[in-house]
Amino acid sequence: MNKKILTIAMALALPLTVAAMPGAEKEGYEGGYRHGNKMERMTKELDLTEEQKTKMETLFKEQHEKYKTIHEETRTRMKEILTPEQMTKMDEMKKRHHEKWKQKKGAQKQEKGAETQE
């Protein structure tokens, strides 16, 4: 049973992989998908044309929608499998995982800030 719960928790973490995609920074938010500085950096470093930039943005938005759909489908199926009590525990596990991730990301930003000041 624990293996099943762990597997389901990992499936819920799948949308977090969106954060690893180019454009996943919080600085900007457009059309339901986070872009910001990473898209600008990609445009500059790869010397993208406006047409390429538009196509890349569209691709990232499509991918985001796919991840969102998978996440929603997974959650619906989990509700069919788990008891309400287990679902509550799963939500708590997810929240703890997300908080740890945020703390880790915050620590990494602080380290980067300290490095640039040196």
Side-chain angles (χ1 to χ4, degrees):
M1 181 68 169
N2 285 338
K3 281 187 176 183
K4 286 181 183 179
I5 290 175
L6 184 59
T7 302
I8 293 169
M10 296 303 285
L12 280 176
L14 179 66
L16 294 177
T17 59
V18 172
M21 292 176 58
E25 290 294 317
K26 289 186 178 181
E27 286 83 18
Y29 198 83
E30 183 178 311
Y33 187 76
R34 299 172 187 164
H35 307 254
N37 293 336
K38 286 192 178 186
M39 190 66 214
E40 291 171 18
R41 188 172 49 217
M42 278 181 52
T43 300
K44 183 179 177 181
E45 290 184 20
L46 299 175
D47 195 27
L48 300 178
T49 65
E50 279 302 313
E51 181 182 6
Q52 288 174 315
K53 182 180 175 182
T54 301
K55 288 179 178 181
M56 292 293 283
E57 287 174 336
T58 300
L59 172 65
F60 293 148
K61 287 177 186 177
E62 289 171 1
Q63 285 302 111
H64 175 71
E65 289 303 314
K66 286 179 183 178
Y67 282 121
K68 188 175 165 183
T69 300
I70 290 169
H71 176 75
E72 290 168 357
E73 288 174 6
T74 300
R75 183 136 180 100
T76 299
R77 292 184 65 191
M78 284 175 56
K79 285 181 178 180
E80 295 169 1
I81 297 168
L82 300 176
T83 67
E85 181 182 279
Q86 289 170 324
M87 214 42 217
T88 301
K89 287 181 180 180
M90 177 62 71
D91 290 339
E92 291 169 2
M93 286 172 50
K94 183 180 173 188
K95 185 177 178 180
R96 284 193 310 267
H97 175 77
H98 184 70
E99 288 300 318
K100 285 181 184 179
W101 176 79
K102 281 174 53 177
Q103 288 174 354
K104 183 177 178 182
K105 188 171 182 170
Q108 289 173 344
K109 282 186 178 183
Q110 286 179 346
E111 288 175 11
K112 283 184 180 180
E115 289 173 5
T116 57
Q117 290 178 358
E118 293 176 357

